[in-house]
Amino acid sequence: MTSRAQAVLGGDRRAAARLLTLAEAGDPSIIGDLGALYRAGGRAQVLGVTGPPGAGKSTLVDLLIARYRAEGAKVAVLAVDPSSPTTQGAILGDRVRMGRHADDDGVLIRSMATRGELGGLAPAAGDAIIVLDAMGFDWIIVETVGVGQSEIDIVAYVDTIVLLQTADGGDLVQTIKAGVLEVADILVVNKADAPAADKVVRGLQEMVASMSRPDGWSPPVIRTEASADLGVEDLAAVVERFRAFRAADKSSRREVERRRLRARIVYLGDAAWRRSLRDASDLVGAEELDAVLDRRDDPHRLAERVAARLAHHSFGRNAPRRFIIS
Amino acid sequence: MTSRAQAVLGGDRRAAARLLTLAEAGDPSIIGDLGALYRAGGRAQVLGVTGPPGAGKSTLVDLLIARYRAEGAKVAVLAVDPSSPTTQGAILGDRVRMGRHADDDGVLIRSMATRGELGGLAPAAGDAIIVLDAMGFDWIIVETVGVGQSEIDIVAYVDTIVLLQTADGGDLVQTIKAGVLEVADILVVNKADAPAADKVVRGLQEMVASMSRPDGWSPPVIRTEASADLGVEDLAAVVERFRAFRAADKSSRREVERRRLRARIVYLGDAAWRRSLRDASDLVGAEELDAVLDRRDDPHRLAERVAARLAHHSFGRNAPRRFIIS
């Protein structure tokens, strides 16, 4: 157990906030701390809320915060915006949202935007979840803007995925990107008083009926009217029902967990590789570059050699012998 | 020399089109072909045109096509849209643009959108440039939507970067993202008849004056009015002036080329790694996953081990002994 990890588990909020900042930035120096916290953790329920921009995710999440706070549960929100190159917008929205809960120690709202060259919000979100869990939050709500891949990526880190759709117009087929419906455990049609709501609900129900999940769960379609505080109780009840369903079938649950962890491991491995890449320039000599520039060699061949060096440079120590092909 | 590469160099347009499609898709089976074409190539001038959406990039590029065609040069355009998850919009725009040049064998327009899990348009664009160069195009214009990182990435593949800014309002500081101005060789203020044009030109001139490039080039600020066919002659002249400037100082030019190639090699190495990741699930055992799920192990430690296995699995054969740390 590292001292940083011990401080967080001991309830040191300042230490936790610092670690959270480093986790969100993908700082590799805290990998040992994260490992210790992960091994000591696992109590929080992690809920993913995703959907297109303007579907009312923030409003719905605010209602969920109030719902869980009323029970005395501590709630953390991680607002992830993969489409925003800067954090400006997200931070602005955050301040408004945080202001509402400023005096409440049981609520924490953090936002994350893209991390540029390090690529992939998913590993950073996963690390932030480890810290929030260790801080003792009962619920961690991961709110993501639905832009295709991000919703699918985030699955590796959450227990339950809620997919939010808005009922005010728009072609359903267009708004639900390929692969996204497949990962949703619960579907929510927001702005349920809109004229098209019935059509959207029926459309989603038909889409759900045509799929068959290996675990046998049939994703319910819930109606909400987040701006009017309607349907949140139904949503909380379905989240609980899904948790119980999952808990009842231990072997099917383990299968799902393994699959998600596998995806997570792949992302973390990728992040480790990218960290190594930042120093890769040391592994390429000027003569090798000149051979390519003079067209005596080509970029792909050189890249292959550099990748091989990097692989050994970065991971050589940890390689079990049986995986070495020689 | 592979037979596919030979066909392309021999002028087989259908073979070239097929290879271009595979290159854009990042198909690893053509790496040998690309290597052969790269070593035989290097004649085309590669011009990058970037800027925010709506700045008039397509219109300006169309004028450049006409300008270079008038000299009898063959022109290929690679329109890259990193912000679009589907190719729908790009393809539609393409058809309109291609229609205009449908009977002209000396013009080819291709568009590329994001490639999802394989990540990074830059390596695919680089490979497409290799094919277009081998097809005998004199000019390859790479048109990218400016969304921050993409402009910087594309630098690794082009000889000259033209950064387009629109003069109709907007805060200059906001529209030019960090690091983008630094890579621009030529600045273009489009819609030069807009009321704010003078202010934008002065702002850019001040920003340029405050920078100092290692090669001593001071990026000129050109005014264009693409919709009215004004300023394109100036732009072509400055592109030529920059080429001559670069050619005059061979050692400084080589430094720039090396730096760009280094970046390219890093991207290609990353792409090779990601291809390996797709099969990574074979390298993680259920018992190892269970150890993490049961909190006896943690994701980062497992990821490190998997990364090491992958590294050896994928690159073990090519590793020079001196890089192995044991």
Side-chain angles (χ1 to χ4, degrees):
Chain A
M1 178 69 61
T2 65
S3 61
R4 265 200 289 217
Q6 245 163 349
V8 173
L9 290 171
D12 183 339
R13 297 283 290 217
R14 288 174 61 98
R18 271 196 302 274
L19 197 60
L20 203 50
T21 301
L22 294 171
E24 288 165 352
D27 190 316
S29 74
I30 59 162
I31 284 177
D33 304 311
L34 292 172
L37 292 178
Y38 176 87
R39 293 194 296 281
R43 273 170 308 273
Q45 288 236 57
V46 188
L47 189 65
V49 175
T50 189
K57 291 182 292 299
S58 308
T59 315
L60 188 72
V61 167
D62 276 358
L63 292 176
L64 283 172
I65 293 174
R67 168 69 178 71
Y68 292 131
R69 282 304 287 148
E71 288 181 341
K74 291 168 70 186
V75 186
V77 175
L78 204 57
V80 176
D81 187 353
S83 65
S84 162
T86 64
T87 53
Q88 232 170 356
I91 283 173
L92 199 69
D94 255 26
R95 285 203 188 127
V96 174
R97 295 172 74 182
M98 280 163 78
R100 213 175 306 149
H101 306 285
D103 298 327
D104 186 349
D105 257 8
V107 177
L108 185 83
I109 299 176
R110 302 278 297 206
S111 68
M112 299 171 68
T114 50
R115 296 205 350 258
E117 55 167 321
L118 278 171
L121 271 167
D127 290 348
I129 290 169
I130 291 175
V131 178
L132 293 168
D133 177 34
M135 288 172 76
F137 286 101
D138 302 292
W139 288 92
I140 301 169
I141 302 176
V142 183
E143 180 189 320
T144 55
V145 179
V147 290
Q149 194 57 37
S150 62
E151 291 119 325
I152 300 166
D153 291 354
I154 221 75
V155 168
Y157 304 99
V158 306
D159 302 314
T160 308
I161 289 254
V162 175
L163 174 64
L164 195 60
Q165 288 293 314
T166 179
D168 55 357
D171 186 353
L172 198 62
V173 180
Q174 286 246 346
T175 58
I176 301 192
K177 303 232 175 64
V180 174
L181 193 63
E182 283 71 11
V183 302
D185 303 308
I186 298 166
L187 302 165
V188 171
V189 176
N190 195 23
K191 305 180 187 171
D193 59 346
D198 288 340
K199 193 171 156 247
V200 173
V201 168
R202 268 200 312 277
L204 284 173
Q205 281 167 339
E206 278 164 26
M207 286 167 99
V208 166
S210 72
M211 302 184 316
S212 85
R213 284 165 59 122
D215 66 357
W217 173 260
S218 179
V221 183
I222 311 276
R223 287 161 181 261
T224 59
E225 180 53 52
S227 59
D229 193 1
L230 292 173
V232 175
E233 206 53 49
D234 294 347
L235 176 57
V238 170
V239 168
E240 174 51 27
R241 185 149 65 83
F242 180 63
R243 196 201 56 73
F245 172 86
R246 253 271 150 96
D249 185 350
K250 284 208 166 35
S251 83
S252 149
R253 182 188 180 182
R254 183 45 57 121
E255 262 320 299
V256 171
E257 287 174 342
R258 277 185 191 151
R259 202 170 57 238
R260 292 182 176 186
L261 179 58
R262 236 189 259 271
R264 180 173 187 167
I265 295 301
V266 167
Y267 282 113
L268 286 179
D270 193 31
W273 173 256
R274 280 165 175 268
R275 277 196 300 273
S276 307
L277 277 178
R278 286 190 295 179
D279 307 317
S281 50
D282 299 343
L283 294 178
V284 198
E287 324 77 57
E288 288 182 304
L289 292 171
D290 286 349
V292 174
L293 291 172
D294 297 338
R295 309 266 163 183
R296 288 176 279 117
D297 197 359
D298 67 79
H300 286 279
R301 284 209 295 219
L302 178 55
E304 190 95 342
R305 292 202 305 279
V306 171
R309 284 173 209 165
L310 249 175
H312 286 268
H313 184 74
S314 306
F315 304 111
R317 256 168 307 200
N318 299 309
R321 283 203 65 80
R322 67 195 164 102
F323 284 100
I324 299 176
I325 299 165
S326 57
Chain B
M1 179 70 61
T2 66
S3 62
R4 265 199 288 215
Q6 246 162 349
V8 173
L9 290 171
D12 183 338
R13 296 283 291 216
R14 288 175 60 98
R18 269 196 303 274
L19 197 59
L20 202 50
T21 301
L22 294 171
E24 288 165 351
D27 190 316
S29 74
I30 59 164
I31 284 177
D33 304 311
L34 292 174
L37 292 178
Y38 176 88
R39 293 192 297 279
R43 273 170 308 273
Q45 287 236 57
V46 188
L47 189 66
V49 175
T50 189
K57 290 182 293 299
S58 308
T59 314
L60 187 72
V61 167
D62 275 359
L63 292 176
L64 283 172
I65 294 174
R67 167 69 179 69
Y68 292 131
R69 283 304 288 148
E71 289 181 342
K74 293 169 67 186
V75 186
V77 176
L78 204 58
V80 176
D81 187 354
S83 65
S84 162
T86 64
T87 52
Q88 231 170 355
I91 284 173
L92 199 68
D94 256 24
R95 285 202 187 126
V96 174
R97 296 172 73 182
M98 281 164 76
R100 214 174 308 149
H101 307 284
D103 298 327
D104 186 350
D105 257 7
V107 177
L108 185 82
I109 299 176
R110 304 276 300 202
S111 68
M112 300 170 66
T114 52
R115 299 205 349 257
E117 56 167 321
L118 278 174
L121 272 166
D127 290 348
I129 290 169
I130 291 175
V131 178
L132 293 169
D133 176 34
M135 288 172 77
F137 287 100
D138 303 291
W139 288 93
I140 302 171
I141 302 177
V142 183
E143 179 189 321
T144 54
V145 178
V147 290
Q149 195 56 39
S150 61
E151 291 119 322
I152 300 165
D153 292 355
I154 223 75
V155 167
Y157 304 100
V158 306
D159 302 313
T160 308
I161 289 254
V162 175
L163 175 65
L164 195 60
Q165 288 293 314
T166 178
D168 55 357
D171 184 353
L172 197 64
V173 180
Q174 286 244 345
T175 57
I176 301 191
K177 303 231 175 64
V180 174
L181 192 63
E182 283 73 11
V183 301
D185 302 309
I186 297 165
L187 301 165
V188 172
V189 176
N190 195 22
K191 305 180 188 172
D193 59 346
D198 288 341
K199 194 172 154 242
V200 172
V201 169
R202 268 199 312 277
L204 285 173
Q205 281 167 336
E206 279 164 25
M207 286 168 100
V208 166
S210 72
M211 300 185 318
S212 84
R213 284 167 58 125
D215 66 356
W217 173 259
S218 178
V221 183
I222 312 276
R223 287 161 180 263
T224 60
E225 178 56 52
S227 59
D229 193 0
L230 292 174
V232 175
E233 207 52 51
D234 294 345
L235 176 58
V238 170
V239 168
E240 175 52 28
R241 185 149 64 84
F242 181 62
R243 195 202 56 71
F245 172 87
R246 244 282 143 99
D249 184 351
K250 282 205 167 38
S251 82
S252 147
R253 182 188 182 181
R254 184 45 55 123
E255 263 320 300
V256 171
E257 287 174 341
R258 278 186 191 152
R259 201 170 58 236
R260 291 182 177 185
L261 179 58
R262 236 189 260 271
R264 180 173 187 168
I265 295 302
V266 167
Y267 281 114
L268 286 178
D270 193 31
W273 173 256
R274 281 165 175 269
R275 278 196 299 275
S276 307
L277 276 179
R278 286 192 293 183
D279 307 317
S281 51
D282 299 344
L283 294 178
V284 198
E287 326 77 58
E288 287 182 304
L289 293 170
D290 286 350
V292 174
L293 292 171
D294 297 339
R295 308 265 163 183
R296 287 176 282 117
D297 197 359
D298 67 80
H300 286 279
R301 285 210 294 220
L302 179 54
E304 190 93 342
R305 291 202 305 279
V306 171
R309 285 173 208 165
L310 251 174
H312 286 268
H313 184 75
S314 307
F315 304 111
R317 255 168 308 198
N318 298 310
R321 283 202 66 79
R322 67 194 163 103
F323 284 100
I324 297 177
I325 299 165
S326 56

